[in-house]
């Protein structure tokens, strides 16, 4: 199985400031047939299911604010929130779906400083 | 708008079978461009993908090795839903269980874009 490792485990950022979460996969998730990285980012708030934010490493899901952006390729990926808002307090997960089974990172808890 | 509605018991006795259903509205379980997944979440195991069912000219299933000997995911085309059965449960199967959709067109797949509301399942006598 591909192991997904996120850093940091928790993060406190001031309102309006940038938040950066990293994700590393144990092997490349770049699918050669379509040149897409099969890496997604999710946001989860208490009592709710995860919400898809980004897929293919950098494509924002419809309706997701443009302060959320994903980047990276191969094995190293980043989720950036450009200007933290109060409603962004949540746990964030990366997930690879390049090979079965899908695997998730351990999560990064984002709080307001 | 696609929605997934989960149903099933919240308490299961050890050694018995956990059974959950996910009813689909706004899409079809027989769609050639979607896979239908089960994911669970617990403090000890985090988010864990359990398996999926999908139709590409015929039905396919794909399961996580950790549960492969105990799991069945079945589509029900008459009710437009799919189900999870997990046999011989132990307290380690206590978790929140989610169903989720992934769009997969040709050889390209997307993220898990629609999720059920989650069902908290406790395994206890």
């Amino acid at each position: 199985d591909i192991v997904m490792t996120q850093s940091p485990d928790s993060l406190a950022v001031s309102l309006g400031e940038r938040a950066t979460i990293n994700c590393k996969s144990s092997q490349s998730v770049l699918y050669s047939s379509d040149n897409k990285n099969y890496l997604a980012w999710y946001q989860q708030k208490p009592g709710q299911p995860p919400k898809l934010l980004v897929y293919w490493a950098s494509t924002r899901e419809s309706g997701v604010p443009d302060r959320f952006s994903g980047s990276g390729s191969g094995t190293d990926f980043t989720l950036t929130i450009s200007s933290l808002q109060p409603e962004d307090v949540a746990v964030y997960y990366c997930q690879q779906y390049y090979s079965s089974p899908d695997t998730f990172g351990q999560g990064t808890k984002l709080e307001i400083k | 708008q696609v929605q997934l509605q989960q149903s099933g018991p919240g308490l299961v006795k050890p050694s018995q079978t956990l059974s959950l259903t996910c009813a689909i509205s706004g899409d079809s379980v027989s769609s050639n461009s979607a896979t239908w997944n089960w994911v669970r979440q617990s403090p000890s195991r985090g988010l864990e993908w359990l398996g999926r069912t999908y139709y590409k000219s015929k039905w396919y299933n794909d399961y996580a090795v950790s549960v492969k000997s105990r799991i069945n995911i079945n589509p029900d085309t008459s009710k437009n839903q799919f189900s999870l059965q997990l046999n011989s449960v132990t307290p380690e199967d206590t978790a929140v269980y989610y169903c989720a959709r992934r769009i997969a067109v040709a050889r390209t797949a997307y993220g898990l874009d629609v999720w059920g509301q989650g069902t908290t399942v406790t395994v206890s006598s």
Side-chain angles (χ1 to χ4, degrees):
Chain A
D1 297 0
I2 297 177
V3 177
M4 308 300 291
T5 304
Q6 292 180 227
S7 61
D9 289 336
S10 62
L11 181 62
V13 174
S14 300
L15 289 173
E17 295 299 305
R18 179 185 301 262
T20 300
I21 299 170
N22 300 300
C23 176
K24 189 173 184 68
S25 57
S26 60
Q27 63 188 74
S28 176
V29 299
L30 178 61
Y31 194 32
S32 57
S33 69
D34 59 10
N35 201 37
K36 296 185 189 301
N37 288 279
Y38 278 25
L39 186 285
W41 288 96
Y42 299 86
Q43 175 193 66
Q44 188 177 32
K45 297 180 179 179
Q48 298 182 17
K51 174 188 175 184
L52 178 64
L53 297 176
V54 170
Y55 57 94
W56 298 338
S58 60
T59 301
R60 251 189 321 272
E61 174 72 343
S62 175
V64 173
D66 61 7
R67 65 179 180 274
F68 291 91
S69 63
S71 62
S73 185
T75 61
D76 291 280
F77 302 91
T78 299
L79 177 70
T80 301
I81 307 171
S82 60
S83 176
L84 190 70
Q85 302 301 304
E87 60 268 30
D88 301 335
V89 170
V91 180
Y92 292 84
Y93 296 92
C94 62
Q95 176 210 27
Q96 69 79 24
Y97 51 103
Y98 171 84
S99 69
S100 184
D102 287 18
T103 47
F104 293 85
Q106 79 277 17
T108 295
K109 186 174 184 179
L110 178 59
E111 298 173 317
I112 305 292
K113 186 186 290 183
Chain B
Q1 181 186 0
V2 180
Q3 292 185 318
L4 303 178
Q5 180 67 39
Q6 298 178 218
S7 59
L11 180 63
V12 182
K13 289 182 166 48
S15 80
Q16 295 193 343
T17 297
L18 180 161
S19 296
L20 298 174
T21 298
C22 184
I24 303 164
S25 58
D27 200 347
S28 170
V29 71
S30 303
S31 168
N32 274 288
S33 58
T35 68
W36 304 97
N37 301 262
W38 286 98
V39 176
R40 68 182 177 183
Q41 184 173 31
S42 65
S44 58
R45 303 170 76 104
L47 283 163
E48 181 184 14
W49 178 86
L50 298 176
R52 60 181 175 174
T53 189
Y54 59 100
Y55 186 79
K56 297 271 189 217
S57 303
K58 68 175 186 176
W59 288 101
Y60 293 87
N61 289 307
D62 184 19
Y63 301 131
V65 170
S66 61
V67 294
K68 193 167 188 175
S69 63
R70 303 191 289 130
I71 191 172
N72 278 293
I73 296 176
N74 293 310
D76 182 342
T77 57
S78 65
K79 295 181 179 178
N80 200 30
Q81 62 187 30
F82 63 108
S83 63
L84 168 69
Q85 285 193 311
L86 189 64
N87 303 317
S88 305
V89 297
T90 72
E92 285 66 45
D93 295 310
T94 294
V96 179
Y97 287 74
Y98 296 101
C99 57
R101 181 187 80 163
R102 164 170 289 128
I103 295 173
V105 179
R107 299 178 70 85
T108 296
Y110 297 64
L112 294 167
D113 66 333
V114 182
W115 293 68
Q117 78 275 22
T119 301
T120 301
V121 178
T122 301
V123 179
S124 174
S125 53

